[in-house]
Amino acid sequence: MFKTIVDPTDCEVRPVIRFLNAKEVKPAEIHRQFVEIYGENVVTDGMVRKWVRQFNDGRTNVHDEARSGRPSVVNDGLVAKVNEKIRENRRFTIRMLFDEFPQISKTVLHEIVTNRLNYRKLCSRWVPKMLTDVHKTK
């Protein structure tokens, strides 16, 4: 019996697919061997077939290709500006911030306030999530 390998990464599995495909092993047999060595939670039979097809079409790279995505509008300068507006008026709403920054959606503003700046609502005021002793005495 073979020793099993737990949680293989994609960059471990794909070169093996490429190697066995070069030896003209069928995709179903490649998948069967993967399940035998790596266990049930390895790459699916459909993914093995997809990679075999790509290698047969001439692909040589086993790594994922870079994807283009929507660039993030959140940067440190914007976070600093939002933080400055919050410090001017702690009793703000996301709608009020949206009026100040109309180029940014309310969802992104809420994400900046809650996730990046770590503020939360407390008695209609926005306060830092982690209060220090100085904050508590105020």
Side-chain angles (χ1 to χ4, degrees):
M1 187 68 191
F2 301 107
K3 187 167 49 167
T4 60
I5 300 172
V6 181
D7 294 329
T9 61
D10 289 341
C11 59
E12 277 182 89
V13 172
R14 292 174 189 163
V16 176
I17 294 173
R18 184 174 176 211
F19 173 77
L20 291 174
N21 183 50
K23 291 183 73 171
E24 297 182 356
V25 178
K26 302 277 186 213
E29 177 62 22
I30 294 172
H31 183 259
R32 189 194 64 71
Q33 289 180 24
F34 276 150
V35 170
E36 185 179 336
I37 298 297
Y38 293 111
E40 292 294 325
N41 294 330
V42 74
V43 68
T44 63
D45 185 48
M47 287 305 290
V48 171
R49 291 178 191 283
K50 174 189 165 194
W51 280 97
V52 165
R53 195 174 323 113
Q54 288 183 6
F55 291 137
N56 287 339
D57 290 343
R59 181 173 178 153
T60 58
N61 188 2
V62 294
H63 300 288
D64 289 328
E65 294 172 353
R67 298 182 200 177
S68 64
R70 178 179 288 181
S72 177
V73 296
V74 180
N75 57 29
D76 293 335
L78 178 64
V79 172
K81 288 178 186 176
V82 170
N83 194 24
E84 184 180 316
K85 285 293 180 188
I86 291 171
R87 291 185 181 274
E88 286 176 12
N89 178 15
R90 294 276 184 164
R91 293 181 186 262
F92 73 94
T93 61
I94 298 296
R95 176 68 192 182
M96 290 167 62
L97 276 180
F98 180 68
D99 292 340
E100 295 289 329
F101 302 98
Q103 72 275 15
I104 304 165
S105 72
K106 291 180 214 162
T107 307
V108 172
L109 284 170
H110 188 270
E111 185 264 329
I112 290 171
V113 170
T114 57
N115 295 342
R116 297 286 293 266
L117 295 173
N118 290 325
Y119 285 104
R120 65 181 177 88
K121 275 285 202 188
L122 181 68
C123 297
S124 76
R125 283 184 140 180
W126 287 90
V127 297
K129 282 184 180 176
M130 298 298 293
L131 294 176
T132 63
D133 290 334
V134 174
H135 289 119
K136 291 177 186 176
T137 57
K138 287 184 180 178

